Amino acid sequence: MADQIKTIGVLTSGGDAPGMNAAIRAVVRTAIARGLKVKGIERGYMGLLHEEIKDMQTRDVSDIIQRGGTVLGTARCPEFVKPEIQQKAADICKKHGIQGLVVIGGDGSYRGAQALARQGINTIGLPGTIDLDISCTDYTIGFDTAINTAMEAIDKVRDTSSSHERCSIIEVMGRNAGYIALWCGIANGAEDILIPENYDYDEQAIVNNIIEKRKMGKKHHIIINAEGIGHSNSMAKRIEAATGVETRATILGHMQRGGSPTCKDRYYASVMGAYAVDLLIQGKTKRVVGYKNGAFQDFDIEEALAMKKDIPEYSLEVSRVLSR
Ligand code: ADP
Ligand code: F6P
């Protein structure tokens, strides 16, 4: 086929996520196995604009599947919203013979990919974010590792919280989304889960819950607070003053983004990386790969970005029942 893609690029963009390396490895090895050349672009769109582009061979992705972070590096590149910058990036791709590009990142990175697709570069997005805040998919690369990391940390806080009969507010990442908070809240048996999607700022309800649970004989009170709500330290002071229960805040922070990816993140990222290359070989562009209703699927980027994702209310109800 005369117009079949011969060279593709791969980059990681936005916040790093465990499993990105497994995806890079899968893109590189699938491309080479299918007879394509593959170029790694360092530091996301920023590196693309600075032409930080290198040829990648099979051995260049050896020994990375088990590593956190991204071997290509990542960056935020605010100027990429400008059409003239997007045009420049597309010109650089063309100069380096890059006809297709796999972008591993979140919603923001997809918008960059969409812009490049408009400029004639075939692009495929892979969902790389610990936040799980991409609507077209039930799974994002890194979420599973992040929730397991956070869960283990929260178990440790719970040990000391119970020993001292304290209340602990533990703030988890997620930007404006509450999925990490919800999953850890249930997995760690939290007494309260505060998520930005439905938080009503009714602190009196939290205070009442702490007092009620004390009367029921609970020795700790774990509140998982999503970073989209934030202010955990000041919240701790107010709650301690209102309840008389010693209260501490712990902000887990960036440790949630690091570490060796779980089996699930390695497996899904590997399949998604291969899937992206196969879409490019089929001549597809402006698509994103997701895992939905039990299957790997692809969606138009524009449609994917327009989709809405709800927090499962039933899960929140379950958490309330189980934390009694
Ligand atoms: P994520 O991809 O995880 O959502 P960001 O929102 O920080 O992370 O976006 C990552 C990068 O994607 C940005 O630094 C920018 O380079 C690019 N990007 C974000 N929004 C847009 C947009 N509207 N148009 C073009 N590029 C964008
Ligand atoms: O999107 C991933 C994420 O870790 C969010 O959970 C968090 O809000 C943000 O990135 C933190 O970004 P930075 O690394 O720039 O502090």
Side-chain angles (χ1 to χ4, degrees):
M1 266 187 282
D3 57 353
Q4 184 166 335
I5 273 184
K6 293 188 180 65
T7 302
I8 67 165
V10 55
L11 62 80
T12 48
S13 166
D16 66 345
M20 281 184 165
N21 283 330
I24 294 167
R25 172 179 176 271
V27 168
V28 170
R29 292 198 172 165
T30 307
I32 291 169
R34 307 272 197 261
L36 305 183
K37 282 194 176 145
V38 56
K39 298 191 182 226
I41 298 159
E42 293 172 333
R43 296 197 309 122
Y45 295 125
M46 192 66 92
L48 175 58
L49 290 171
H50 289 91
E51 299 190 50
E52 293 167 22
I53 300 170
K54 57 184 183 191
D55 290 333
M56 293 193 83
Q57 310 297 340
T58 302
R59 289 280 77 74
D60 294 327
V61 289
S62 294
D63 202 26
I64 67 168
I65 194 167
Q66 78 282 15
R67 295 198 187 166
T70 157
V71 292
L72 287 176
T74 186
R76 297 210 164 84
C77 180
E79 66 262 39
F80 213 75
V81 296
K82 296 182 191 159
E84 66 274 20
I85 295 292
Q86 296 161 359
Q87 173 73 62
K88 181 180 169 191
D91 290 345
I92 289 170
C93 285
K94 287 172 193 162
K95 177 178 157 192
H96 288 264
I98 297 171
Q99 300 152 299
L101 181 65
V102 179
V103 171
I104 309 168
D107 274 355
S109 305
Y110 287 180
R111 290 185 201 282
Q114 184 183 26
L116 287 174
R118 279 197 216 104
Q119 303 285 351
I121 307 300
N122 287 3
T123 56
I124 306 292
L126 291 187
T129 169
I130 64 164
D131 300 337
L132 194 69
D133 60 346
I134 299 178
S135 304
C136 69
T137 182
D138 298 332
Y139 164 84
T140 60
I141 297 167
F143 176 72
D144 190 59
T145 306
I147 52 174
N148 279 289
T149 302
M151 182 186 73
E152 285 174 21
I154 294 164
D155 280 345
K156 293 185 169 86
V157 176
R158 181 175 166 146
D159 287 345
T160 168
S161 198
S162 298
S163 302
H164 287 263
E165 300 190 25
R166 282 175 175 157
C167 169
S168 289
I169 301 176
I170 304 165
E171 188 172 311
V172 296
M173 274 189 166
R175 207 183 292 221
N176 300 316
Y179 298 102
I180 297 177
L182 175 65
W183 279 65
C184 289
I186 291 181
N188 291 100
E191 279 65 35
D192 280 298
I193 305 174
L194 313 182
I195 60 172
E197 289 87 342
N198 73 351
Y199 185 51
D200 57 7
Y201 291 88
D202 182 3
E203 255 174 42
Q204 191 56 47
I206 302 172
V207 166
N208 295 344
N209 195 23
I210 294 170
I211 293 168
E212 190 196 333
K213 296 272 163 65
R214 284 281 135 148
K215 286 186 190 148
M216 291 163 73
K218 285 223 164 191
K219 285 205 159 63
H220 61 253
H221 191 101
I222 302 293
I223 301 172
I224 305 296
N225 185 31
E227 75 165 331
I229 296 169
H231 305 290
S232 296
N233 284 305
S234 54
M235 199 186 280
K237 288 198 180 91
R238 288 193 300 273
I239 284 177
E240 180 167 309
T243 59
V245 175
E246 251 193 319
T247 302
R248 296 283 190 270
T250 305
I251 298 169
L252 295 185
H254 286 82
M255 57 106 73
Q256 295 161 92
R257 275 221 319 246
S260 178
T262 59
C263 181
K264 180 169 181 176
D265 276 330
R266 298 180 199 192
Y267 174 91
Y268 279 58
S270 297
V271 175
M272 285 180 160
Y275 192 120
V277 174
D278 284 332
L279 287 175
L280 286 172
I281 289 170
Q282 290 159 31
K284 302 269 176 69
T285 182
K286 209 164 73 71
R287 309 289 295 174
V288 293
V289 179
Y291 186 82
K292 193 107 185 135
N293 303 324
F296 293 98
Q297 302 184 32
D298 53 287
F299 304 86
D300 176 76
I301 292 189
E302 215 154 304
E303 287 169 18
L305 287 170
M307 289 179 189
K308 294 271 170 286
K309 190 169 191 170
D310 294 325
I311 278 282
E313 283 299 325
Y314 181 69
S315 299
L316 279 172
E317 166 60 12
V318 166
S319 83
R320 284 189 282 270
V321 172
L322 299 185
S323 67
R324 294 198 67 76

